[in-house]
């Protein structure tokens, strides 16, 4: 099993796991303000990385946590967390 799959192997209820979602995390939640625009990319990007890091989700963006095969037992957990990060 790869290191990224070992990381995902942690229970989604384990607060140290990147796959753990707090009940308040939802697709409508805004992580940073102001909204990204053509002028503020550098500051927005820095704030977004800080917010994702604080929620232990930056590894989804950096590619450290690889997508498991769609038939893998961890795929549904990965997909749910990835969808929250993408949203």
């Amino acid at each position: 099993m790869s290191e990224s799959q070992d990381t995902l192997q942690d229970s989604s209820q384990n607060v140290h796991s990147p796959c753990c979602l707090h009940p308040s995390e939802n697709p409508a939640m805004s992580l940073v303000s102001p909204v990204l625009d053509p002028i503020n990319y550098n500051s927005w990007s820095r704030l977004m990385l800080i917010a994702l890091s604080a929620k232990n989700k930056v590894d989804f963006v950096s590619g450290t946590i690889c997508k498991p095969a769609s038939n893998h037992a961890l795929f549904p957990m990965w997909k749910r967390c990835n969808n929250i990060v993408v949203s």
Side-chain angles (χ1 to χ4, degrees), residues 56-73:
N56 199 19
K57 301 292 186 268
V58 76
D59 289 342
F60 284 90
V61 175
S62 70
T64 304
I65 297 179
C66 299
K67 178 181 178 179
S70 60
N71 61 346
H72 194 281

Side-chain angles (χ1 to χ4, degrees), residues 8-79:
L8 284 176
Q9 191 67 38
D10 291 342
S11 167
S12 63
Q13 301 303 310
N14 178 348
V15 296
H16 301 291
S17 169
C19 287
C20 180
L21 290 176
H22 188 273
S24 69
E25 292 179 306
N26 63 70
M29 187 172 82
S30 178
L31 294 181
V32 297
S33 181
V35 176
L36 174 64
D37 67 31
I39 321 173
N40 71 351
Y41 175 79
N42 288 333
S43 60
W44 175 89
S45 175
R46 182 174 181 277
L47 292 170
M48 185 59 76
L49 286 175
I50 291 169
L52 288 170
S53 178
K55 293 183 169 296
N56 199 19
K57 301 292 186 268
V58 76
D59 289 342
F60 284 90
V61 175
S62 70
T64 304
I65 297 179
C66 299
K67 178 181 178 179
S70 60
N71 61 346
H72 194 281
L74 299 175
F75 180 75
M77 184 178 8
W78 176 89
K79 184 177 178 182

